[in-house]
Amino acid sequence: MRTRRLVRSLRHLVWAAYGVLATLVGIGLAHAVAAFGDPATSPVLAVGSAVIDRTPTPMKEWAIRTFGSADKVVLVGSVMLGVLVLSALAGLLARRRPWLGAAGLLVLVALAAGAVLERPEVGALDLLPSLVAAITGPLTLLVLARLHRAATNPSIATTATAPTTDPSATDPSATDTSTDPSTTDTTSTKTPTSTSTSTSASRRHLLLGVGVATALAAVGGVTGRIVGRLRLRPEDVTLPAATDRAPTLPRGLDDQVDGITPFRTPNGDFYRVDTRLDVPILSADDWTLRIDGDVEREVTLTFDDLLEMDLVERDITLTCVSNSVGGPYVGGARWLGVRLVDVLALAGIANTKADQILSTDVDGMTISTPLEPATDGRDALIVVGMNGRALPREHGFPVRMVIPGLYGFVSATKWLRRLTLTTYAEREAYWTKRGWAKDAPIKTSARIDTPRALAKLDAGDVVVGGVAWAQARGGVTGVQVRIDGGEWFAAQLGPEANDSYWRQWFVRWPAEPGSHRIAVRALAGDGSEQSGERAEPYPSGSSGLHELLVTVG
Ligand SMILES: Nc1nc2c(c(=O)[nH]1)N[C@H]1C(S)=C(S)[C@@H](COP(=O)(O)O)O[C@H]1N2
Ligand SMILES: [Mo]
């Protein structure tokens, strides 16, 4: 009979749900425990990070292109989905053999623990969240299985055997058709009344069990979040004023050109690119920076040591190598920090044979910076402040690096913990291992912010505007616009802050009806011009002209 089959598969679904619920309890409680120590030891985050590390570069590129900054959400979502599907299978196993189901969940936790152990510098305590998951997940499944059996199989509640004509009754676990909470009570009339009271008590126990488990999972997850937020507050940090201040930022074209990128990017709007799933929760109090490797003496600095050094303030435009032509991964901010050369001088690098500075973040993630450009006199900074405040956690609190003219992946280490003077022959950083360029100067680029691609415009004067950058190449000294592949003509430039900062530009274009192509290019102060040659971000940054189509009606 079809309905019977349907009822049967519904019954299976309940067991699958037990598996999922058990896993959520384990994950939720583990997440909460992890939040008190190192949040990255949470099994979900550890597995997510391990998956990110193993994702081939082209696929990562594709994810960033397709999902933008939501790439992590999509990734964690897929990992979670996979885990929940496996948990559902464990739940189904538990229908006949609860222990087997519990063992299935244990295998999942073991995998997560493996991912935690893969992290650099692991301590025994890092396994605590996994241990919590290993105990609470399988235990929840066993308890739910027991309660389910008691609630659906009266013979467990009393010794009486329910008379039944159901042919599947030879299978002991199949007798649960009658009172399974997910199905209608079709055969209970056949159950002797003597057992029905204890059955309904057991049913209540089952419901209670499910309720408690759901609450545990939810409370665990929420606690994790709340504890994480309370532990560290960058807003509690007061930064001293710079001894070497940046000149007042000139008024940009923000008010003059509708839709143009603001001259300074507010912290909340600043692009974020990193390999992290979560934001590391660091405290400035116990933060230290170690400078080691091929130096005269190893040095360890505290946050206060850093603040006591000469602080400089600079407007610098940061750019991500993953930014495609016309893309959003670029931002301009006012950074406060100590000169990298001053910090290196404390350790002594006059006689070093190093050709790279290998920086390590709180999790052991590494970024390598070629020593030469980092120490050639440009404003390479160990940064503590962004736009007048402590660094936001997303952008590296308490300390990060920023170096003008080099893409972020070879210069802008967030959550910085260590600088090691070494050679490329000896050590390879995260992205170097993945084939990205070692020396990666930012390519001169111009972007059209307004009008948007495929916009429908009224004929007449149209303002075309955007930003251009040419860090460490003398800054932007000219921007040119071309309509329908015609002659290049000069755009009007916004003010210049310094040659490490981007510049806004605009032109007034007398637009005639029809569809038109607008292209832009930038000229740099060192006499070079933007390359029109198309290149993808991998391995050393995109190039090519930003050109878009609009319709004038
Ligand atoms: N620790 C750490 N630092 C990092 C990264 C990272 O993944 N981990 N990503 C780098 C990259 S690729 C860029 S472009 C910049 C981006 O900095 P933002 O997120 O503050 O804009 O940070 C760099 N610093
Ligand atoms: Mo980047």
Side-chain angles (χ1 to χ4, degrees):
M1 248 169 73
R2 289 188 61 187
T3 41
R4 175 155 301 165
R5 220 173 292 145
L6 189 74
V7 163
R8 231 165 201 274
S9 40
L10 274 179
R11 216 194 307 141
H12 286 198
L13 270 189
V14 172
W15 283 95
Y18 291 157
V20 169
L21 187 54
T23 294
L24 289 178
V25 169
I27 286 178
L29 293 179
H31 205 63
V33 170
F36 286 93
D38 179 353
T41 58
S42 162
V44 194
L45 293 177
V47 170
S49 305
V51 172
I52 290 191
D53 279 1
R54 285 183 176 73
T55 310
T57 302
M59 206 165 135
K60 250 185 235 174
E61 287 281 281
W62 173 83
I64 291 181
R65 264 201 318 277
T66 316
F67 304 114
S69 343
D71 62 330
K72 304 279 188 339
V73 179
V74 172
L75 183 113
V76 184
S78 328
V79 170
M80 269 302 269
L81 199 70
V83 167
L84 292 183
V85 167
L86 293 174
S87 312
L89 289 177
L92 290 174
L93 272 181
R95 189 169 80 92
R96 303 207 173 198
R97 308 212 180 127
W99 284 104
L100 208 56
L105 290 188
L106 263 184
V107 171
L108 282 181
V109 180
L111 285 176
V116 171
L117 286 177
E118 219 178 46
R119 297 159 26 83
E121 298 170 37
V122 273
L125 263 186
D126 289 349
L127 282 177
L128 192 63
S130 306
L131 189 68
V132 167
I135 295 170
T136 55
L139 194 69
T140 304
L141 185 57
L142 289 177
V143 170
L144 288 175
R146 235 209 130 83
L147 291 175
H148 183 104
R149 291 193 157 215
T152 54
N153 190 349
S155 61
I156 290 179
T158 71
T159 45
T161 319
T164 174
T165 51
D166 186 342
S168 63
T170 41
D171 170 6
S173 67
T175 55
D176 61 10
T177 334
S178 55
T179 49
D180 190 298
S182 72
T183 62
T184 39
D185 206 350
T186 49
T187 55
S188 64
T189 42
K190 296 169 194 139
T191 310
T193 36
S194 61
T195 63
S196 65
T197 42
S198 62
T199 304
S200 72
S202 321
R203 260 203 254 171
R204 246 179 285 125
H205 289 158
L206 175 61
L207 278 182
L208 192 68
V210 169
V212 168
T214 309
L216 276 179
V219 166
V222 171
T223 310
R225 290 227 131 209
I226 294 176
V227 170
R229 307 227 151 233
L230 285 185
R231 263 192 57 195
L232 161 97
R233 306 169 30 112
E235 55 269 37
D236 292 341
V237 172
T238 7
L239 297 172
T243 39
D244 180 353
R245 305 193 59 164
T248 311
L249 193 74
R251 265 181 87 100
L253 304 177
D254 306 20
D255 301 333
Q256 288 171 56
V257 180
D258 258 2
I260 203 168
T261 298
F263 199 29
R264 174 182 292 161
T265 315
N267 289 357
D269 297 339
F270 208 94
Y271 81 90
R272 179 184 163 200
V273 170
D274 51 62
T275 58
R276 302 280 313 210
L277 291 174
D278 60 334
V279 177
I281 311 286
L282 303 190
S283 145
D285 298 339
D286 54 17
W287 176 90
T288 56
L289 175 65
R290 192 156 113 214
I291 302 113
D292 59 10
D294 188 7
V295 292
E296 272 147 48
R297 57 202 158 267
E298 275 190 31
V299 175
T300 301
L301 298 175
T302 64
F303 191 67
D304 283 337
D305 291 340
L306 214 54
L307 296 191
E308 275 164 23
M309 297 177 70
D310 283 343
L311 288 171
V312 301
E313 191 181 53
R314 290 292 179 267
D315 295 311
I316 299 169
T317 293
L318 197 64
T319 311
C320 181
V321 70
S322 296
N323 196 41
S324 36
V325 173
Y329 301 137
V330 52
R334 173 158 292 196
W335 309 95
L336 176 73
V338 173
R339 282 176 193 284
L340 174 65
V341 286
D342 289 354
V343 169
L344 294 179
L346 295 176
I349 60 159
N351 301 314
T352 190
K353 293 189 184 56
D355 56 11
Q356 69 154 319
I357 306 168
L358 187 82
S359 47
T360 309
D361 84 353
V362 62
D363 273 325
M365 144 93 187
T366 50
I367 283 183
S368 64
T369 307
L371 185 61
E372 203 279 318
T375 53
D376 69 357
R378 70 182 76 193
D379 291 317
L381 300 180
I382 302 291
V383 165
V384 293
M386 181 176 183
N387 287 332
R389 279 183 282 146
L391 280 171
R393 280 189 275 171
E394 293 79 1
H395 298 290
F397 183 82
V399 179
R400 74 174 304 170
M401 288 172 39
V402 168
I403 303 181
L406 297 181
Y407 283 118
F409 82 109
V410 290
S411 71
T413 316
K414 304 192 274 189
W415 315 293
L416 179 70
R417 291 307 299 274
R418 189 170 165 189
L419 298 172
T420 306
L421 277 285
T422 180
T423 60
Y424 285 101
E426 222 162 278
R427 299 282 301 273
E428 281 200 306
Y430 183 90
W431 279 297
T432 323
K433 279 185 205 144
R434 287 159 176 79
W436 290 83
K438 287 178 187 151
D439 193 357
I442 297 174
K443 296 179 181 172
T444 302
S445 304
R447 181 177 78 192
I448 303 168
D449 294 331
T450 180
R452 309 303 263 173
L454 305 179
K456 298 204 185 335
L457 309 166
D458 293 334
D461 260 8
V462 166
V463 175
V464 179
V467 283
W469 54 92
Q471 301 97 316
R473 296 177 194 268
V476 173
T477 47
V479 168
Q480 298 175 330
V481 174
R482 184 181 72 183
I483 306 289
D484 298 328
E487 292 284 300
W488 288 105
F489 59 95
Q492 207 158 319
L493 291 177
E496 174 167 50
N498 64 64
D499 64 8
S500 302
Y501 207 65
W502 59 9
R503 226 162 149 176
Q504 296 164 310
W505 59 267
F506 76 98
V507 290
R508 245 177 258 288
W509 164 49
E512 285 170 14
S515 70
H516 300 285
R517 278 183 297 136
I518 311 173
V520 65
R521 72 173 179 189
L523 310 174
D526 65 2
S528 63
E529 65 181 47
Q530 178 181 342
S531 160
E533 200 179 310
R534 279 251 149 214
E536 290 301 310
Y538 186 82
S540 60
S542 65
S543 66
L545 301 183
H546 191 205
E547 178 154 40
L548 47 82
L549 257 182
V550 295
T551 316
V552 179

